[in-house]
Amino acid sequence: MVLIVRTDLKLSKGKTASQCAHAAVMCYEHSLSSGRESFLRAWKLDGQPKVVLRIRSTHDMEKLYSEARSQEITSILVHDAGRTEIPSGTMTVLGLGPDCSDKLKEIVGKLKVL
């Protein structure tokens, strides 16, 4: 699973962790309900790895989201509720997977770790 965080928002560490947790849970639930149990089983057996990467803007995140969806990778956009640091509806994190690591690397391989 890959979690991609917008750095232009300058979220606190706690807010970033919370938004990443939302993305991970949403990816898991989507995978569970969409017939991708084989990826979930493999991911769980492998220790449920999650890689957190950074991206600079909404535009870049939307582009990555479209690319992942076109390759039928579980893709979840997290939008904040607006109760603390940022306005309601702000896109914060893109969650991808679980899926084949080679497939994920092809899409996010140029991004840097947060």
Side-chain angles (χ1 to χ4, degrees), residues 4-106:
I4 303 156
V5 179
R6 281 183 52 200
T7 55
D8 61 312
L9 296 173
K10 301 191 184 329
L11 301 173
S12 69
K13 290 177 184 178
K15 185 68 167 179
T16 299
S18 176
Q19 296 297 295
C20 286
H22 289 317
V25 169
M26 292 166 71
C27 282
Y28 180 87
E29 287 178 338
H30 183 270
S31 293
L32 193 60
S33 67
S34 64
R36 300 178 62 83
E37 291 89 357
S38 62
F39 286 115
L40 281 175
R41 275 193 296 278
W43 177 70
K44 286 165 105 177
L45 287 172
D46 198 27
Q48 302 172 13
K50 291 165 247 9
V51 176
V52 182
L53 304 173
R54 58 186 174 196
I55 200 159
R56 295 182 193 186
S57 69
T58 303
H59 173 75
D60 293 342
M61 186 174 278
E62 288 172 338
K63 193 171 151 185
L64 208 58
Y65 174 74
S66 293
E67 186 177 344
R69 300 242 334 149
S70 73
Q71 294 190 34
E72 299 181 357
I73 294 172
T74 295
S75 309
I76 301 295
L77 288 170
V78 177
H79 294 85
D80 192 63
R83 295 188 189 105
T84 55
E85 298 180 18
I86 53 179
S88 177
T90 302
M91 186 187 320
T92 58
V93 176
L94 168 61
L96 303 177
D99 209 306
C100 173
S101 59
D102 289 337
K103 210 168 157 184
L104 292 170
K105 280 181 192 174
E106 187 178 312

